[in-house]
Amino acid sequence: MNPLTAIDFYKADHRRQYPQGTEYVYSNFTPRSSRLAPVLEGFDERVVFVGLQGYIKRFLIEAWRDGFFNQPKEKVVARYKRRMDTSLGEGAVPVDHIEALHDLGYLPLEIKALPEGSRVNIKVPMFTIVNTLPEFYWLTNYLETSMSAEIWKTCTTATIAYEYKRLLTDYADQTGAPPAFVPLQGHDFSFRGMSGIVDSAQSSLGHLTSFIGTDSVTAIDYAEDYYNAEGVIGVSVPATEHSVMCMGTQEGEIETFRRLITELYPRGVVSIVSDTWDFWQVISSYTKTLKELILAREEDALGLAKVVFRPDSGDPVKIICGDPDAKPGTPEYKGAVECLWDIFGGDVTERGYKMLNSRVGLIYGDSITLERAQAILEGMKKKGFASNNIVLGIGSYTYQYLTRDNFGFAMKATWGQVNGEGREIFKDPKTDNGTKKSARGLLRVEKTATGFELFDQQTAEQEQQGELKTVFKDGVLVSEQTLMDIRERLTTQ
C-alpha cells in the first residue's frame, strides 16, 4: 500500500484550499453518537478505545518508512503525480509539498491520546493530532481517511466484545457460574466473514481485549507485533467442520465421533460439529452410546477432558433451551442442555443452578448477537441451568454487520493557526439534529466521577493538561502500551 494514496481524492489539494498563511491544523477523533449501536438496552454510553497504537506502528511508521521515506524521491513523487494527473487532470495537484516531506524524512505530527483500553464517553475525543512544523499543516487532515478506516472498527468490536463480557459476567453472577470461565465463553468465529485479512486481525484484536477465546490466528500475531502481547493471548481447541463429518458418511457418523474422542483426541477438549444430519440423534442417542468413552477420556495438563457438541443451524434459543411448541418429552422439547443433563448429570452451583458434567459441553456460533446471547442465557436460567453450560461463538454476523456510524466516529478540525493567529473553528449544521456539532478550539479531557469529560476552547497551557498524553511525535512512538495493559484497564473500569 502506497501511504501517499491511502486517501480520498479530495484530500489531495486541501493544502491549497486552506487560507494563505495557514500554519497549524489541530483535529480530534471522537465517537459522537450511539443511536445506531448494536448494543442492549441500558448501554452506558461509553466506547472502548483501542487500535491507535497498531495504526501508528503499522501505517505511520512501517508503511511510510517502507513505502515513502526509504524509496527514491523521484520514484515516489512520479508515482504520486501520475495518480493525480490521470484521475484529476494534468497538473491538478502540485507535488512540491510531497518533495519537501520526503526531504524532511519523517512525519512532523504530534498525536495525543487517552490510554488504550479506556471506556470513553460519547462526544469525548479519544485522541488529537496536530502538525509540528508550520509548512506541513496540510498533513494533519490528509491522514483522516486512513486513520478513520483503520481505527473505528477496532474500537467498535472492542466495545461490543465488552458488552458480551458484561452480559456473560452478569449471568454468571446470577446463576453462580465460575467467573473465571467468562473470558473463554465468548469465542471469536468471525475471520472468514470479515473484509480481508488485515481487517480481521484488527477487528479480532478488539475481541481479544475482553476475551481469550478465538479462532483468529492473525489476531494473536497482530497483538504480538503491535501490542507486545505476552502470556495467554488467545486460545482455541481442536474442532471439526462439516467436510470432516460428511467425508465419514452419514452411516459412519457415530464411528467418526468415536475415532475423534478416543484415537485422535483421547484427552483434553475437542469440539465436534453435530448437526450435519440429525443433531437430535447425536445429542440424545449417540451420547448414550458413547457415554462411557466420553467419561473415560484423559485429562490434559490443564485438567480438561471435555467433548463439546456444536449445533450449527436452527433457532439457537430453541436448540439450546428447548422448543415449547415441540412434542413434550422429545429432545426438541427439552433442548440440548437438558438432553446432556439427563445423560451425564453434573453439579449444582451455590445459587442452585445446574452445571453439566465437566466431560461434556455445548458451543453455538451461528448468527449470535447480543440479543440472542441474552435470550439463550435467560432461557437456560429459567430452566435452572447455570450460564457456563454454553460457549458462544461470536462471528461476522456480530463483528462485520457494523459501520463507522454505529458510534458516529469522526475526525474533525477544531483549531488552526493562520499567520500567527489562532482560530477556534467548529461545525454546527443547521440541517442536522446536533450529532455533527463539533467542539471548538483546543481541547482538554479530564477524568471525572462520570467518566471522561471534554473541555473545549482551551488555552495553549490548558491543552497541555489533562488525560490526553503524547503517544507519537515526529515519526516516533513515544509511549507504548501492551495488550495486558489494555485488558487490565478494561477490567478495573
Side-chain angles (χ1 to χ4, degrees), residues 53-64:
Q53 181 171 293
Y55 169 81
I56 289 173
K57 284 187 170 185
R58 194 179 76 87
F59 189 74
L60 293 189
I61 295 176
E62 293 178 2
W64 278 90

Side-chain angles (χ1 to χ4, degrees), residues 438-481:
S438 69
R440 302 189 186 199
L442 297 173
L443 310 177
R444 176 171 56 94
V445 174
E446 296 287 356
K447 202 165 188 178
T448 68
T450 56
F452 291 100
E453 185 175 348
L454 167 65
F455 298 86
D456 63 355
Q457 296 185 283
Q458 299 294 286
T459 65
E461 291 74 22
Q462 289 172 323
E463 192 270 341
Q464 296 295 316
Q465 304 166 11
E467 299 297 318
L468 293 167
K469 306 294 186 184
T470 300
V471 296
F472 176 86
K473 188 170 184 180
D474 293 338
V476 178
L477 183 68
V478 298
S479 176
E480 197 159 0
Q481 298 165 80

Side-chain angles (χ1 to χ4, degrees), residues 88 119 143 365:
L88 296 177
R119 299 186 62 243
L143 293 174

Side-chain angles (χ1 to χ4, degrees), residues 4 12 68 134 153-154 163 181 193 196 250 285 297 305 307 309 343 363 429 453 457 467:
L4 276 178
F68 183 68
K153 182 76 163 289
T154 312
E163 294 304 307
F181 185 66
Q250 185 172 1
S285 178
R297 292 177 72 249
V307 176
F309 298 91
I343 297 166
I363 184 170
E453 185 175 348
Q457 296 185 283
E467 299 297 318

Side-chain angles (χ1 to χ4, degrees), residues 182-301:
V182 170
L184 290 160
Q185 204 172 357
H187 196 93
D188 186 356
F189 278 173
S190 65
F191 193 165
R192 71 194 59 190
M194 306 308 287
S195 298
I197 296 170
V198 175
D199 175 62
S200 171
Q202 293 173 329
S203 171
S204 293
L205 175 75
H207 176 87
L208 288 176
T209 59
S210 284
F211 295 102
I212 60 173
T214 184
D215 257 39
S216 179
V217 180
T218 58
I220 300 174
D221 293 339
Y222 193 91
E224 286 185 340
D225 291 345
Y226 299 115
Y227 283 88
N228 303 315
E230 298 177 338
V232 180
I233 305 169
V235 300
S236 190
V237 299
T240 70
E241 65 179 17
H242 287 294
S243 71
V244 171
M245 309 308 291
C246 290
M247 200 69 75
T249 76
Q250 185 172 1
E251 294 75 18
E253 185 180 26
I254 193 169
E255 293 308 315
T256 300
F257 270 87
R258 192 188 311 272
R259 186 168 70 93
L260 287 164
I261 65 178
T262 62
E263 297 179 26
L264 291 181
Y265 308 106
R267 63 183 60 82
V269 182
V270 59
S271 174
I272 306 176
V273 64
S274 306
D275 71 328
T276 306
W277 294 287
D278 186 346
F279 174 73
W280 300 115
Q281 181 183 37
V282 171
I283 208 72
S284 64
S285 178
Y286 290 1
T287 48
K288 290 179 181 178
T289 302
L290 300 171
K291 178 179 178 179
E292 295 309 315
L293 294 177
I294 291 173
L295 294 177
R297 292 177 72 249
E298 300 175 27
E299 295 182 353
D300 62 11

Side-chain angles (χ1 to χ4, degrees), residues 123-168:
K123 295 186 180 298
V124 173
M126 293 173 164
F127 63 84
T128 62
I129 177 171
V130 65
N131 56 296
T132 58
L133 295 175
E135 60 267 39
F136 296 102
Y137 62 88
W138 58 272
L139 192 55
T140 299
N141 271 21
Y142 190 88
L143 293 174
E144 176 190 356
T145 306
S146 63
M147 276 192 155
S148 178
E150 293 271 309
I151 297 172
W152 75 261
K153 182 76 163 289
T154 312
C155 294
T156 302
T157 55
T159 303
I160 294 170
Y162 184 88
E163 294 304 307
Y164 269 100
K165 188 174 182 181
R166 183 153 56 180
L167 176 69
L168 291 164

Side-chain angles (χ1 to χ4, degrees), residues 331-347:
E332 293 90 336
Y333 180 82
K334 292 180 178 180
V337 66
E338 187 175 339
C339 287
L340 289 178
W341 176 266
D342 288 346
I343 297 166
F344 293 93
D347 298 314

